[in-house]
Amino acid sequence: MTSLIGETRQILTAPHSRRAVLAGGSALLAAGLTGCGHTLESPNSILIANASGGLTMVMTQLMKQERFLEHFGLDADLMNIADGSRILGGIVGESLDCSLMSGFGQAFPAMERGSDMKIIGGGILLPALAMFSGKPNVQSLKDLEGKAIGTGSIGALVYQLTVTLLRKYGVDTSKIRFVNIGSSPDVFRAVSAGTVDAGLAQTALIDTADEYHVHALPHGNLSEELPLYTYQGAWTSAKTIKERRETIVRAMAAYARMFRFVQEPANKAAFIRARRKAFSSASQADHEAEWHFIQTYKPFATDLVIGPDRIEYIQKLNMAFGQQKSIVPFEQATDMSLARDAIALLERHS
């Protein structure tokens, strides 16, 4: 089984201070935090925590390879963290500056509880997942009634997306046994091994599903079925915006530059090179499949700004799942001025 569904680097943030994070130390090095050598006083330092899905891992490698952050004068540490609640905790506790590519659904309940979280831009606009099964008797979403589906924990992104898709097609989720396996790469390993009957994994795997003895289910491609679900975005706290706005704007400009870069067909070789570095044992077919997904769906927020419809959509899903009680107004939940400033900065540097 190739590294497209192989081990992803999971870095779990502990409740240490930002000063401790940036100072490094043996404990943090053991946890996988390397290169944390800059100081709190530097306006060029930034600590960014993103999700740990396969595509996000490749984009992290592409960011380093092409030195987009350095182009904007930044000394950045990039972390990939599997658990979005830990990203939230890091931002609230000020051990992290921001997240620029992760799910942000958990930020809205935090806002209801008085947190000063702000959604500041988009990342991946479409859910880059699809439903797969390795069971011959599972040929439709309806066939999943009475079966076991691999997901994350209840309320986690993979779980929420799974249930939302099934409800869209009238599947009785009370007849399904949801198994908490973890991230989408973990789920796909379980589907391929036959441990569960189905589960979500990267959409790019549709092209190479036969290699893993699985098949994609009709109406299971979330990039097409849930187009308003913003899979990943950029977010931080109002306090951090006040204290580090210019630094975050520069980082967002770097990400916008990368999003535009990767959706240009001429940059295929650079993307494949980054993907090979991220997943050294993956097949060429896997590399090509992910590139094909990006060029087909153009999923990245190249202009960063996301509108009220996307913010409301995720909140309505949260309410349906009992995770929040009411809609947080767009003006309270977001600050898109950073995204607009980042695009203006990018255009000046182009």
Side-chain angles (χ1 to χ4, degrees):
M1 189 172 298
T2 71
S3 290
L4 181 60
I5 56 170
E7 294 297 327
T8 58
R9 175 168 161 254
Q10 297 185 6
I11 305 172
L12 305 180
T13 57
H16 38 251
S17 69
R18 173 178 168 79
R19 181 173 296 278
V21 171
L22 295 180
S26 59
L28 295 180
L29 290 173
L33 299 181
T34 59
C36 297
H38 41 253
T39 65
L40 288 174
E41 290 74 24
S42 171
N44 298 324
S45 70
I46 187 167
L47 185 55
I48 302 168
N50 292 330
S52 66
L55 180 54
T56 315
M57 298 292 286
V58 176
M59 296 299 281
T60 296
Q61 184 58 45
L62 184 66
M63 176 65 76
K64 295 176 181 178
Q65 172 185 293
E66 301 298 321
R67 300 179 62 83
F68 293 118
L69 286 159
E70 288 83 351
H71 178 80
F72 289 94
L74 293 173
D75 174 18
D77 283 309
L78 304 179
M79 303 167 60
N80 291 100
I81 299 178
D83 188 341
S85 65
R86 291 185 180 271
I87 297 179
L88 176 63
I91 293 174
V92 170
E94 300 181 53
S95 61
L96 301 172
D97 286 311
C98 60
S99 181
L100 300 183
M101 285 189 69
S102 68
F104 53 80
Q106 67 270 27
F108 299 111
M111 293 176 195
E112 275 197 319
R113 296 190 297 268
S115 171
D116 70 344
M117 290 295 103
K118 294 287 185 182
I119 312 304
I120 57 176
I124 302 178
L125 297 179
L126 301 175
L129 299 172
M131 185 67 72
F132 294 87
S133 176
K135 306 293 186 179
N137 63 336
V138 177
Q139 297 296 324
S140 70
L141 295 175
K142 194 69 173 175
D143 290 340
L144 292 173
E145 292 182 354
K147 304 295 193 303
I149 298 180
T151 68
S153 60
I154 293 177
L157 176 64
V158 174
Y159 174 85
Q160 189 180 69
L161 287 170
T162 298
V163 174
T164 300
L165 174 68
L166 297 177
R167 287 176 176 173
K168 177 179 178 178
Y169 284 96
V171 178
D172 187 348
T173 56
S174 69
K175 296 179 179 179
I176 291 172
R177 182 167 64 92
F178 294 101
V179 182
N180 180 7
I181 293 175
S183 65
S184 56
D186 297 326
V187 170
F188 191 76
R189 278 198 298 272
V191 173
S192 183
T195 306
V196 294
D197 297 299
L200 292 178
Q202 287 179 259
T203 308
L205 284 161
I206 291 174
D207 291 350
T208 55
D210 289 346
E211 289 184 26
Y212 308 107
H213 310 291
V214 302
H215 53 276
L217 297 183
H219 305 296
N221 184 343
L222 300 190
S223 296
E224 298 176 353
E225 298 295 338
L226 303 177
L228 267 182
Y229 193 102
T230 306
Y231 188 52
Q232 291 183 353
W235 48 294
T236 187
S237 69
K239 183 176 187 293
T240 302
I241 292 171
K242 181 178 179 180
E243 295 176 352
R244 313 209 77 221
R245 180 189 180 93
E246 187 266 342
T247 303
I248 293 173
V249 166
R250 282 192 281 159
M252 293 177 70
Y255 272 79
R257 187 176 186 185
M258 179 174 64
F259 295 160
R260 295 180 180 193
F261 179 90
V262 80
Q263 292 188 170
E264 289 293 331
N267 295 318
K268 177 180 180 179
F271 174 82
I272 297 295
R273 185 164 64 253
R275 198 173 191 287
R276 284 175 178 157
K277 184 69 177 293
F279 298 112
S280 58
S281 62
S283 69
Q284 182 63 25
D286 280 336
H287 299 319
E288 295 281 347
E290 192 147 79
W291 176 255
H292 176 70
F293 165 77
I294 293 170
Q295 300 313 303
T296 299
Y297 291 99
K298 305 288 187 184
F300 293 100
T302 54
D303 290 328
L304 296 180
V305 175
I306 53 177
D309 55 342
R310 289 185 170 276
I311 298 299
E312 182 177 309
Y313 183 84
I314 291 180
Q315 293 194 75
K316 284 183 175 179
L317 286 183
N318 280 349
M319 292 173 66
F321 281 89
Q323 294 173 321
Q324 68 183 94
K325 296 178 181 178
S326 60
I327 299 291
V328 180
F330 181 78
E331 295 75 16
Q332 176 184 339
T334 70
D335 185 348
M336 291 296 150
S337 67
L338 285 85
R340 289 188 285 270
D341 288 351
I343 293 301
L345 177 62
L346 173 60
E347 291 175 352
R348 289 198 301 271
H349 278 70
S350 297

